[in-house]
Amino acid sequence: MDLWLAYRRRERAPRWWRDGWPQGYRVGAIGVAVFAAGGLADLVWHETLGVEVGLDAEFSPSHLLLGGGAVLLLTSPVRSWWASREGGARAAIGVASLALGTMATTILLSHSSAFLSAAATGETGAAGAQQAAVLGVDAYLVTTVVIGVPFLLSHRRRATPGAATAVVAGVALFALVMFEFPVPQAWGAVGAVAGAALADLVLCRSDAVRGPDAALRLPVAGAVLAALVWGGHLAGLALATGSAGRRRCPAGW
């Protein structure tokens, strides 16, 4: 698609491979090349070294190339939206692109996703509880960065309704599909998405009242997002398992 967008402008830009790209799509074309190189490298890797298991699979060089190329490619519409500063349908497409690009980063971080952990509902006195708690805290920290960075990149220009909801819902859905929607984690994800929707409402209202140039606007937005998303997530887990329920995690957790 990126290549076609440039090629169709060849009459206005004879050197279309350099000058024919719409705003935001040139980097996407680089993503296509990176993704293709990653696919070829992955083929050679598996044919010569075999198939990796566990973390080795997630952090093999070829998979890192595939993930990086996918992010560059999928975020072309969001860069175009930022360049145009338009709203309406353009903003909706940009938000969808933002969510897809964020989802692509989680392919390599499924082992550290808070949406796959129910450690917060574990019994503190159980054997191995301390290690489970540490991994659970780490998962919340990693996932906060994963959803927070793209959201704040979007929010730095102006509040966009649905941006937080789309990013959180996309990341949560991608994680849960891999493990066929385990019940406690699914309820936690529902709570997190509800919290993200509430964060969208609060931050849009805040911009309307305080203005987009208010002091500490981005730190406040990040704090509101994290508090409401993870507050909703913990509430969902509590509803599904009870605050003293036993920890139920997907295989490998």
Side-chain angles (χ1 to χ4, degrees):
M1 178 60 75
D2 281 343
L3 293 173
W4 171 247
L5 289 174
Y7 180 71
R8 66 189 296 186
R9 295 184 173 195
R10 62 191 182 279
E11 293 183 0
R12 287 178 289 171
R15 296 184 178 180
W16 60 269
W17 57 89
R18 189 187 68 181
D19 305 322
W21 307 102
Q23 285 183 313
Y25 281 82
R26 183 176 296 179
V27 175
I30 297 173
V32 173
V34 172
F35 190 86
L40 179 60
D42 200 47
L43 174 63
V44 174
W45 183 281
H46 290 318
E47 288 294 328
T48 57
L49 299 177
V51 178
E52 313 93 325
V53 178
L55 290 179
D56 290 339
E58 296 183 352
F59 290 106
S60 71
S62 58
H63 288 175
L64 291 174
L65 279 176
L66 286 169
V71 171
L72 294 178
L73 174 60
L74 292 171
T75 52
S76 291
V78 74
R79 287 190 297 274
S80 178
W81 166 47
W82 286 342
S84 71
R85 298 179 179 271
E86 296 179 11
R90 191 70 172 271
I93 294 172
V95 168
S97 171
L98 185 69
L100 287 172
T102 307
M103 289 168 62
T105 66
T106 65
I107 296 174
L108 304 179
L109 295 172
S110 59
H111 61 282
S112 297
S113 174
F115 294 114
L116 292 176
S117 174
T121 65
E123 297 179 356
T124 56
Q130 184 175 4
Q131 181 66 18
V134 170
L135 292 175
V137 171
D138 290 347
Y140 278 108
L141 291 175
V142 170
T143 311
T144 298
V145 173
V146 169
I147 65 176
V149 170
F151 171 74
L152 291 178
L153 284 174
S154 170
H155 190 72
R156 66 192 171 99
R157 299 172 184 271
R158 62 176 182 272
T160 304
T165 306
V167 169
V168 173
V171 172
L173 180 63
F174 186 85
L176 293 176
V177 164
M178 291 189 292
F179 291 96
E180 299 181 351
F181 295 93
V183 173
Q185 289 81 356
W187 276 99
V190 170
V193 173
L198 181 57
D200 275 325
L201 293 174
V202 170
L203 295 176
C204 286
R205 180 59 180 167
S206 176
D207 266 18
V209 173
R210 301 176 67 226
D213 299 320
L216 299 176
R217 177 175 173 270
L218 285 183
V220 169
V224 168
L225 177 71
L228 293 178
V229 167
W230 299 132
H233 185 257
L234 293 173
L237 289 176
L239 287 174
T241 65
S243 59
R246 294 184 178 275
R247 178 165 50 92
R248 295 173 59 195
C249 300
W253 279 74

